[in-house]
Amino acid sequence: MSSGREIETRTIAGGGRQRTLSATVRVSDARARPAEFELSQGSCRIGAGRGAHIVVDDEAVSRLHVELSLTPEGVAVQDLGSRNGTFYLGQRIDRAVLSLGSRLQIGSATVLLQPSKAALEQGIALDITSYGELAGSSLAMRRLFGVLNRLEGSLVTVLVEGPSGTGKEHVARALHAHSLVASGPFVPVNCGALERGVARSELFGHRRGAFTGAVEAHVGAFEAASGGTLFLDEGGELPLEVQPLLLRALELGVVTPMGETSERPVKTRVVAATHRDLEAEVAAGRFREDLFYRLRVVKLQVPPLEEPDDIELLARTFAIRDGFQLPGEVVDTLRRRRWPGNGRELRNTLRAFAALGVLDQPEQETPTSDELGAAFERFIDFGRPYAAQKETVMQGFLKVYLRLLLERTGGNQSEAARISGIARSHISRVLGGGSK
């Protein structure tokens, strides 16, 4: 009888196509031939002798030591009766189904189970302009759709990165809707809004009386999402003291509510999102490195809203969903604007337009010196003195400035003089007379 431990696993039934994400098996800390193996179909046997797909030069590794194969939930691990055992998180195991991002120990060798980058890149830049609630026609968006398509049916942990307002939660919901747990709950948690003192309770729960104010038992988000997806929005904001508990829940699939000593099994797929640079947070000591790599098994990058075609497509999509028409001139204006708040800002602008019938005016941005320089380049003539060219540019700027200012004041030169600080008489001279 084996002394190893069998880690029980079960496949969660759900919607979506069953597609197993290909994996790369990588061996480190020992001499191996080959050091990497692409696991897409069939199995991968690791050992020290003939019949092994990866041969490890280590006396502690048996001739045929361990076999790996893909399942919809991850990688199935089967110890092949090895002398010295297969270890996961320090425990000897006979069999287990492990998530991509996990690592095994056989002898001195570390076996890393990682998603295949080549598999993720296949079918990239799909010829579609929407995916779930997401919309876009730029190359960056179509590449995102391509990777989402490759992840369909997978339960791999995903880290979604991108600026605020780009739709990271829509990405998480799309991942959930096309996964094996689509019929289960989708539980979002805004980690940035969690107070330090209650973060552990919100994520992992507590029993009645666990702390002052705990008048009733509370089921944490991890347990509430069991059989489905837990979305950790702004996961980079998690307090350091909670991060080891999250890592344990991801690695072992168990949580311990506050005030209890026994662990509760959970089967929860995790998608995290952040606008922060988590690698920089790790370097600064504000985020655990091991948790970072466990969350970033697959990284998705959501681009900012900058491409005019994406702006138009997203604007028309919002208008259709909200049931109103967008005139062509409004679309043209939207395409020319900058959207530092990304899709969220665009949607709020369109809601205001639907209510008021006019577009709100964006705050004027001060151009940078580089932007001004680029605009002036075509007017520079090295055959003329600098002072003469400067005077021409300044006079041109002054005329345009005053013309636009008078349009804003309805032609009222007194009001224009008050706003600009330029004498009313000078405004009249520059613009060729006229008063109001």
Side-chain angles (χ1 to χ4, degrees), residues 79-298:
D79 185 88
L80 299 175
S82 65
R83 296 187 311 274
N84 296 308
T86 300
F87 291 84
Y88 174 63
L89 297 179
Q91 299 184 68
R92 185 168 180 167
I93 60 173
D94 283 336
R95 65 184 63 190
V97 177
L98 303 181
S99 301
L100 294 177
S102 301
R103 59 184 63 202
L104 298 166
Q105 197 73 31
I106 59 170
S108 62
T110 300
V111 181
L112 304 173
L113 308 177
Q114 300 177 324
S116 170
K117 291 183 179 179
L120 283 177
E121 290 170 357
Q122 291 174 10
I124 212 162
L126 294 185
D127 190 21
I128 57 177
T129 57
S130 65
Y131 191 99
E133 295 293 305
L134 301 164
S137 59
S138 64
L139 180 60
M141 288 301 294
R142 290 186 291 110
R143 280 178 172 167
L144 175 62
F145 299 157
V147 180
L148 288 171
N149 180 262
R150 289 296 307 165
L151 290 171
E152 287 183 5
S154 170
L155 294 177
V156 68
T157 304
V158 177
L159 178 64
V160 186
E161 296 183 342
S164 295
T166 50
K168 295 187 289 294
E169 182 167 343
H170 290 314
V171 173
R173 289 184 181 275
L175 286 165
H176 173 72
H178 294 89
S179 74
L180 296 176
V181 295
S183 60
F186 179 88
V187 179
V189 176
N190 185 349
C191 299
L194 292 179
E195 295 182 13
R196 260 187 126 70
V198 301
R200 179 179 173 184
S201 170
E202 287 297 316
L203 287 176
F204 307 110
H206 65 255
R207 69 169 179 81
R208 181 181 178 183
F211 52 86
T212 302
V215 295
E216 293 182 356
H218 171 69
V219 175
F222 227 104
E223 192 172 357
S226 190
T229 300
L230 174 63
F231 174 51
L232 299 176
D233 194 13
E234 296 305 339
E237 308 289 337
L238 277 173
L240 267 174
E241 59 269 23
V242 176
Q243 293 178 24
L245 303 176
L246 175 58
L247 179 63
R248 182 173 179 80
L250 287 168
E251 293 281 13
L252 294 180
V254 294
V255 297
T256 305
M258 295 179 66
E260 295 188 10
T261 56
S262 58
E263 296 176 332
R264 297 185 185 180
V266 290
K267 205 70 177 177
T268 306
R269 194 264 185 95
V270 172
V271 176
T274 182
H275 73 281
R276 290 181 177 271
D277 181 347
L278 282 194
E279 290 190 69
E281 293 296 296
V282 169
R286 291 187 291 267
F287 202 86
R288 288 179 62 110
E289 184 177 26
D290 48 6
L291 178 58
F292 167 66
Y293 287 112
R294 193 63 187 81
L295 289 174
R296 198 201 63 172
V297 176
V298 171

Side-chain angles (χ1 to χ4, degrees), residues 346-363:
L346 176 61
R347 178 139 213 182
N348 289 338
T349 297
L350 289 173
R351 285 173 173 165
F353 171 78
L356 302 173
V358 294
L359 280 177
D360 61 347
Q361 294 298 315
E363 292 185 10

Side-chain angles (χ1 to χ4, degrees), residues 310-326:
D310 282 349
I311 294 168
E312 177 176 349
L313 179 59
L314 194 57
R316 293 190 184 279
T317 300
F318 287 153
I320 290 171
R321 289 175 188 168
D322 292 343
F324 64 91
Q325 295 290 324
L326 269 183

